[in-house]
Amino acid sequence: MGAFEAVRGFFQGSAERLGLEPEMREMLSRPYRELAVQVRVPMDDGSLAVFPGYRVQYNGARGPYKGGVRFHPQVTLDEIRCFAALMTWKTALLDLPFGGGKGGVRVDPKLLSEAELERLSRRFMHAVGHLVGPTRDVMAPDVNTDARVMGWMFDQYSRHVGWHPEIITGKPLALGGSLGRDAATGRGALVCLDRLVREWGWSREETRVVVQGFGNAGSWFARLADEWGYRVIGISDSKGAVVNPGGLEPHMVLAHKRETGSVAGFYGGETLEADELLGVEADVIVPAALEESIRADNVDRIRAKVILEVANYPVTPEAEQVLLGRGVTVVPDILSSAGGVVVSYLEWAQNTQHERWREQEVNDRLAEMMTAATEAVITRSERYEVTLREAAYDIAVARVAEAERARGYW
Ligand code: NAD
């Protein structure tokens, strides 16, 4: 099953439970608009490389399309469509005034020089720029794209349209980026976990956490979880994993990764193969790497009680069925990975009001919004006896459908 088909299955379950009318199901089960482009990049050696790029605008009933852009060698239109749908449900669940979109370029950015990466970022914005705008489509960072890339894309857009920092979020501070944006996805996921841990009557100190993926989202999550008193006992990246049942010091693991290029070989723990991390005995597994990392073929290894989805679509529906059958709780991505888009919204709000907020203010608002959404999902899940994912989708889908109806169909 393709990634989009799988996520569409989550929507269809919700449409069924909510009794959505057939035309609404039709509208919400496919993207509103998809753009496929060529991204032509003059290379340092004088040659020209052509990479396929996409921007999918899934649904804009509740506001401008909103979603990241990724640079990765495995980007496909199906995958971008899947993430654009997830963004639609995520922004609705958090009650942000946005719709959902996503973009990507099929390229291995690790093989590019900095100058080539800048040209790639500018050419992508050039190719999709006519769809972008502060009230139309607001892009953001995702896998292998960071504040630098957002800065280049912002500049490219401004050359034609003028000063509009609200067209893109996750920008450098110097261009109107928000304090707290870098840590937002990890922090938001931790706020969500912390609220659930309180609900279950667990203590932070006794909650053993393993984190798969040590990039932006995973490394912030691990460092903040450690600061908040959780026991982070395993961390992996694409090259390997490091485990210590007594607890790791994530900020030291990060220093090691910055020095050597990987978490593997960290002196404070035992080094394992990257995929061995899932089998580590822990309370919470946090997939924060790529999609489909927990699948039918590796789900049997998992011994944790909770999966906190920080990556987008990290657990396939087949794997989720197995986990649910074993009493494992899955906290859905549209809730637990929403911190990034929440602070993107706060950045966009600061930009549109020409304001700059203190970091504490941003973090407080993020915590408030993540806690409110987590509580709404817990309440709905208990009231209707559905899983956390089903409860989250039901809240989100109902909101998008309500906005569509309110706008009328003509
Ligand atoms: P990133 O590129 O900074 O980090 C990805 C990490 O995953 C890297 O450390 C990489 O080594 C690791 N990885 C790749 N394959 C792996 C494997 N097989 N085993 C273990 N680790 C592996 O990306 P990111 O921005 O942190 O995003 C990670 C996930 O979180 C993605 O699914 C993304 O869509 C999602 N997400 C990110 C944000 C955000 O604001 N950055 C927001 C919401 C969701």
Side-chain angles (χ1 to χ4, degrees), residues 68-73 75 83 102-103 105 109-110 140-146 216 288-291 311-312:
V69 176
R70 63 169 58 187
F71 294 162
H72 194 274
V75 161
F83 298 137
K102 195 83 177 191
V105 180
K110 290 181 183 138
D142 192 61
V143 175
N144 293 325
T145 56
D146 55 13
N216 172 283
L290 293 175
E291 60 281 0
N312 284 303

Side-chain angles (χ1 to χ4, degrees), residues 186-211 220-235 244-251 282-286 306 308 374:
R187 183 182 293 277
L190 185 59
V191 169
C192 173
L193 175 66
D194 207 51
R195 181 64 190 81
L196 286 160
V197 158
R198 194 142 51 87
E199 191 70 20
W200 299 324
W202 297 5
S203 78
R204 288 178 177 175
E205 297 69 29
E206 281 166 359
T207 304
R208 296 160 304 166
V209 180
V210 302
V211 181
W220 275 110
F221 177 87
R223 277 176 290 165
L224 292 169
D226 178 57
E227 258 176 46
W228 287 27
Y230 286 90
R231 192 136 56 92
V232 179
I233 62 166
I235 292 175
N244 181 345
L248 293 163
E249 289 178 290
H251 66 282
D283 299 295
V284 183
I285 292 186
V286 183
V306 174
L308 182 78
T374 306

Side-chain angles (χ1 to χ4, degrees), residues 55 66-69 138-142 145 150 168-170 181 344:
R55 184 73 186 166
K66 182 87 192 82
V69 176
V138 181
M139 301 202 289
D142 192 61
T145 56
M150 299 303 111
I168 202 157
T169 57
R181 175 61 182 85
S344 274

Side-chain angles (χ1 to χ4, degrees), residues 70 142 144 181 185 213-217 236-238 288-289 310-312 337:
R70 63 169 58 187
D142 192 61
N144 293 325
R181 175 61 182 85
T185 302
F214 207 52
N216 172 283
S236 70
D237 61 22
S238 57
V310 170
N312 284 303
S337 82

Side-chain angles (χ1 to χ4, degrees), residues 227-287:
E227 258 176 46
W228 287 27
Y230 286 90
R231 192 136 56 92
V232 179
I233 62 166
I235 292 175
S236 70
D237 61 22
S238 57
K239 297 189 185 123
V242 59
V243 176
N244 181 345
L248 293 163
E249 289 178 290
H251 66 282
M252 297 304 291
V253 180
L254 186 63
H256 176 83
K257 183 175 166 86
R258 283 190 177 137
E259 213 176 290
T260 64
S262 172
V263 302
F266 176 64
Y267 60 86
E270 187 191 348
T271 292
L272 307 175
E273 295 293 321
D275 61 0
E276 287 180 272
L277 187 85
L278 291 183
V280 170
E281 187 164 339
D283 299 295
V284 183
I285 292 186
V286 183

